[in-house]
Each structure stands twice: as C-alpha cells, then as structure tokens.
Amino acid sequence: MSRKIGFPVTYRCLFFACILALTHVHTLADPPYKNCSTSPSNFTDTKFHNQRNDLLSILSSNASESRFFSTKVGDNVDDQLYGNFLCFGNLPLTECQECVTLAARNIKKLCPMSKQAIGWEEKCQVRYSDEPFFGTMDDTTANLPLWNNRSVSDPELFTDAVKKLMSNLTETAAYHSATNLLSTGHSSFEDLHGLAQCTADLSASNCNSCLQFALNQILSCCSSFRGARVYSKSCYLRYELYVFPGIDSDNPPPSKKSRRNVLVAVFVAIPVVGLIVTMAICLYCSMLRKTKHQALSRCTTPAGTSRETEFVYNTLEQDQMKPREFPLIGFLDILTATNNFSESNKLGQGGFGAVYKGQLPDGQEVAIKRLSSDSEQGSDEFMNEISLIMKLQHKNLVRLLGCCIEHEEWILVYEYMQNGGLDAFLGCTLLPGLYLHFLPKLLFCEHLAKY
C-alpha cells in the first residue's frame, strides 16, 4: 500500500510566506504615526506626566479657534514643557479640534515616557518637547515620507508636473506674506492637487528650507506615484490625484470626466436652445401675422374669402351677374364715412333699417343703409335688393355703389340724391312749388318698364 507524500506543514508555510514577500507592495499602516525621542530629561516621571497632560489639554481646547497654536507650561525654565499643533491646509475648525484631540490622546499612548515627541494624524500633527523649539527648523531626520504605491501611465511627464506644481507651492508658501505659510493649488495635468505648509512660527527662509528638503525627498523616492506626502516637525508637503483634506475644493479643476460631461451638456443644450428659440420666433411671427391680418380685415375691403362674401358672390352668379366686379366696401370706411353711425348723419328709418349720409375716402357722398338687428328682413331680402338694383340701371334710379358684410353687418351703399327719393315725385309729398303731372309720371313708368 503506497503512502501519499506531501510537503510538511512547515515547508508549506514557508512557501506561502515567500510568495507573499515577493508580491508584497510597501504600504504603511494608517495613522497615527510617531517619532518618540529617548533622550534623557530633568523631569521626574510624575511631574512630566502632569505637565504633559496640562499641555495637551491646552492645545486641544485651542484647536477650535485656530489651525496653529503654540504654548508652554511650567514655572521654572528648567522644567518647562513646550508644545504646538498644526492642522493641515484649510481644514474646518471643527475637524481641526477633533484631529488635535485624537492626536493628543494617541501621542500619550505611543510615546508614554518620551520627553520629546511628535504625533502625525491624517489631518494634523501635535508636538511637545522639554526643550524650546518655537521658530526653529529642527533636524529633518525625523521626516516621514509616505506614498501611494500605484504608479501612473507616464512617469516622466507626471514627475515633471509634480515638480513644477510643488515647487511653485513651496515658493508661494514661504515667500508670499499673504499666504500665512500655506499654499494650495492644482495642475490640469491628470487633475493633480498639492499642498505646502509650514508652522506659523517659522521665518520665510526656514519655511523654504523645510519644504525644499521635503520636496527633494518626494522627487527622489516617489514622484512617479499617484500620491505622496512628507510629515515633518515644522512643515508638511503633499500631492494627490484627488481633493484631499485641507485642499480648497470650492473651485477644483475639471477632471477629464467632468470636462467630457460639460461638452456633452453643451452639445445637447445648443440644439435644444436653438429649437426653443426657433419655436418662439415662429410663434411670434404667427401672432404678428394674425394681428396684421386682423388689422387688415378691419381696415381694408374684404378679399372675398369670408362665408358672407362667398354667399353674395354665389347669389350673384345664380342671377348671371358678374360678382367679382361688385365692389365691397370695408366696415372701417363705413364707420369713418358715417362718423360711427352718428345721429347727425342719419337721413331716415325704413323697413330695412336706418339710412345715413356719408362720405367715402375719395370724397364721394353716399347714402348708407344699415340692416338693423331687429329688422324683419334677412339675408334673402338683402340679396334680393342687391340683385334687383344691379339689374335696374336707369338714369332716373339711384345707383348701388357697393355693400359691406363684415362683423355681422349687412350694409348697402348708394349714391346720394340731394333732392330726395323718387317716391316724393310720384306721390304727393313734394316740397311747395314742386309738382309732377300725371303725363310725365306715365311716360316715366313706360320708359322704366322697357328695362
């Protein structure tokens, strides 16, 4: 019976350990990070712990009012303890206080007996020492560089962009007084963001020296990676391909994706806006044409397209007359001629309606018969009168000049006879001195009958 042979458990563990070691990418643990000194001190342990607790408590309480603060505790020069904190970038004060409080708590755990220590968090740092350090740039051996292990597609171009951006931020932070030793910015290349900052108690030259050393560290170790930072005792330098804590994010540069979205929005908006403008113009023109048409219909003779006009023409055609030669007079001209049917222009009242004297635009005087709304005559009687008078063309008969059939009005326009109507001559209503004998009446009727 054969026995299955395999690797011993120890060998298999070593094998997997080697695999992990070969594939492992250097990654630092999440903060807090620390630098604890082991140098001797004149403090007794009890007094040191008490003074450190007092110092860290003061620092934490002041973080709600400022992003940088420094102070000292102790009565005697030999046993004083100095400390400060720095919140990175333009961090909101509420977040600044939260970070400083956390850093103060962690530094006591990480450096329980150290007389000199600094603790770094993601958004701030807290430092204390039994020796004065305010306004001085300490040794840079305590600097802690960190980086994102993911590389970029074009390391050479990216390194140049990092160098250019961070050099500008370093110079601005150090030598521009308005910046308060803090400068943030971005580059359009790969949407790169950066921050350079010193503690507010440094001079410009010391700030520049601290940041330059940190920048050289980045350029020598990790400028081809997607992000990097350097923690120092007196300054802070960082770049990333995203907006990180402390960076002003009010107006970040548009990323490639956001620029693409803007272009899409523009290309979509232009046709839509164009369509809306075109529709608005068409609507405006349509309303303008309608208004103009209404104005023309009120001010000019009808073109013969209305229902009433067609009725007139059809009736005249049935009587074998020439309807298109029959003049149609505009209602506005009628109103003007009669002074808006003024009583002073009224000549009389008949079964058809009222008769008014008027004057057409060409100066011709006319008699205008207006069918009243309560008249017993209708469209048939109106057309009968038109047909009859147009057929009877006689020098002794009044001539029909035209009609108006707008706005539900039925109006006839005759030539104006100054001496009155024929009924006055045929009857007995002549004015004094005027009388027509029987024979002329008979001859007139005989002559008229021939027509």
Side-chain angles (χ1 to χ4, degrees):
M1 182 176 180
S2 62
R3 189 176 71 176
K4 186 176 181 179
I5 301 175
F7 285 106
V9 176
T10 303
Y11 289 156
R12 276 184 281 181
C13 291
L14 290 174
F15 173 77
F16 284 113
C18 291
I19 295 298
L20 289 174
L22 290 174
T23 58
H24 176 68
V25 179
H26 175 67
T27 305
L28 287 175
D30 292 334
Y33 313 115
K34 63 181 177 62
N35 184 282
C36 306
S37 172
T38 58
S39 59
S41 174
N42 296 327
F43 282 93
T44 62
D45 291 343
T46 302
K47 188 174 183 179
F48 166 72
H49 285 105
N50 291 337
Q51 286 193 322
R52 184 174 67 172
N53 289 338
D54 292 342
L55 176 65
L56 295 178
S57 177
I58 294 173
L59 294 178
S60 299
S61 63
N62 281 274
S64 62
E65 300 177 359
S66 176
R67 296 182 182 89
F68 172 78
F69 182 76
S70 60
T71 189
K72 62 182 178 179
V73 294
D75 298 329
N76 301 320
V77 176
D78 295 336
D79 60 2
Q80 287 182 332
L81 198 61
Y82 305 84
N84 68 13
F85 70 80
L86 175 67
C87 290
F88 302 140
N90 294 311
L91 195 69
L93 292 177
T94 54
E95 296 183 32
C96 179
Q97 185 176 35
E98 292 174 359
C99 183
V100 172
T101 302
L102 177 64
R105 183 167 60 248
N106 287 333
I107 200 172
K108 290 190 290 185
K109 297 178 182 178
L110 298 174
C111 309
M113 301 301 297
S114 297
K115 306 303 186 291
Q116 299 176 10
I118 183 169
W120 294 291
E121 301 288 342
E122 176 72 15
K123 304 175 183 179
C124 68
Q125 67 182 44
V126 171
R127 179 186 179 188
Y128 69 83
S129 174
D130 59 349
E131 296 181 2
F133 64 88
F134 298 156
T136 62
M137 190 192 77
D138 291 299
D139 67 283
T140 55
T141 56
N143 283 13
L144 178 63
L146 303 174
W147 59 89
N148 185 331
N149 286 289
R150 294 178 58 192
S151 59
V152 294
S153 58
D154 194 333
E156 185 175 352
L157 289 178
F158 187 75
T159 298
D160 290 341
V162 169
K163 182 178 181 180
K164 181 179 180 180
L165 173 64
M166 302 311 293
S167 296
N168 290 337
L169 295 180
T170 295
E171 180 180 356
T172 302
Y175 294 112
H176 289 217
S177 58
T179 62
N180 198 27
L181 302 185
L182 166 65
S183 180
T184 62
H186 61 263
S187 170
S188 58
F189 183 83
E190 295 290 340
D191 199 10
L192 181 65
H193 298 261
L195 184 152
Q197 184 178 15
C198 297
T199 56
D201 56 353
L202 288 187
S203 64
S205 58
N206 284 342
C207 177
N208 182 66
S209 299
C210 185
L211 291 175
Q212 285 292 348
F213 190 89
L215 177 58
N216 290 334
Q217 284 184 295
I218 286 182
L219 295 177
S220 62
C221 74
C222 39
S223 59
S224 62
F225 293 105
R226 298 177 64 86
R229 75 189 81 172
V230 175
Y231 290 109
S232 176
K233 291 183 178 181
S234 302
C235 62
Y236 178 67
L237 197 71
R238 183 178 183 181
Y239 75 85
E240 300 286 354
L241 290 178
Y242 59 87
V243 178
F244 52 88
I247 288 290
D248 293 325
S249 58
D250 294 337
N251 295 297
S255 62
K256 290 183 177 180
K257 183 177 181 180
S258 63
R259 286 194 294 267
R260 183 166 59 249
N261 292 338
V262 170
L263 291 177
V264 172
V266 169
F267 285 123
V268 171
I270 289 176
V272 172
V273 173
L275 179 61
I276 294 175
V277 172
T278 302
M279 292 176 63
I281 293 175
C282 292
L283 180 61
Y284 173 77
C285 293
S286 176
M287 295 175 64
L288 189 63
R289 283 196 301 269
K290 184 177 180 181
T291 304
K292 184 177 181 180
H293 177 72
Q294 292 175 347
L296 289 175
S297 68
R298 291 193 299 268
C299 300
T300 62
T301 300
T305 57
S306 67
R307 183 179 61 181
E308 295 85 353
T309 304
E310 290 298 325
F311 172 74
V312 173
Y313 286 161
N314 291 336
T315 304
L316 294 177
E317 285 176 350
Q318 291 175 4
D319 292 339
Q320 297 181 351
M321 302 181 68
K322 297 179 180 180
R324 304 299 167 179
E325 297 178 358
F326 184 70
L328 297 175
I329 301 175
F331 184 68
L332 184 60
D333 291 336
I334 298 295
L335 289 177
T336 304
T338 62
N339 193 21
N340 199 18
F341 297 107
S342 172
E343 286 294 324
S344 61
N345 288 54
K346 191 172 183 178
L347 298 176
Q349 181 79 29
F352 183 91
V355 181
Y356 297 86
K357 179 182 179 181
Q359 187 175 27
L360 296 179
D362 59 1
Q364 183 181 4
E365 290 187 332
V366 293
I368 297 173
K369 295 178 66 175
R370 182 188 189 191
L371 179 65
S372 63
S373 58
D374 56 352
S375 173
E376 296 179 356
Q377 298 190 30
S379 59
D380 292 337
E381 290 78 3
F382 181 81
M383 292 309 306
N384 288 338
E385 184 165 350
I386 291 178
S387 299
L388 178 62
I389 295 178
M390 289 190 68
K391 289 178 181 179
L392 295 177
Q393 298 294 330
H394 191 275
K395 64 180 181 179
N396 293 327
L397 291 178
V398 66
R399 186 162 54 94
L400 180 65
L401 301 179
C403 70
C404 176
I405 48 176
E406 295 182 46
H407 304 284
E408 300 182 356
E409 295 278 358
W410 299 79
I411 299 173
L412 296 174
V413 181
Y414 295 93
E415 63 178 335
Y416 178 67
M417 306 300 293
Q418 293 183 355
N419 294 326
L422 179 62
D423 59 339
F425 288 90
L426 295 179
C428 301
T429 59
L430 289 175
L431 295 175
L434 294 177
Y435 180 76
L436 188 63
H437 294 281
F438 175 76
L439 183 59
K441 293 180 183 179
L442 179 62
L443 292 176
F444 172 77
C445 292
E446 181 183 359
H447 184 73
L448 182 62
K450 294 180 181 180
Y451 287 88

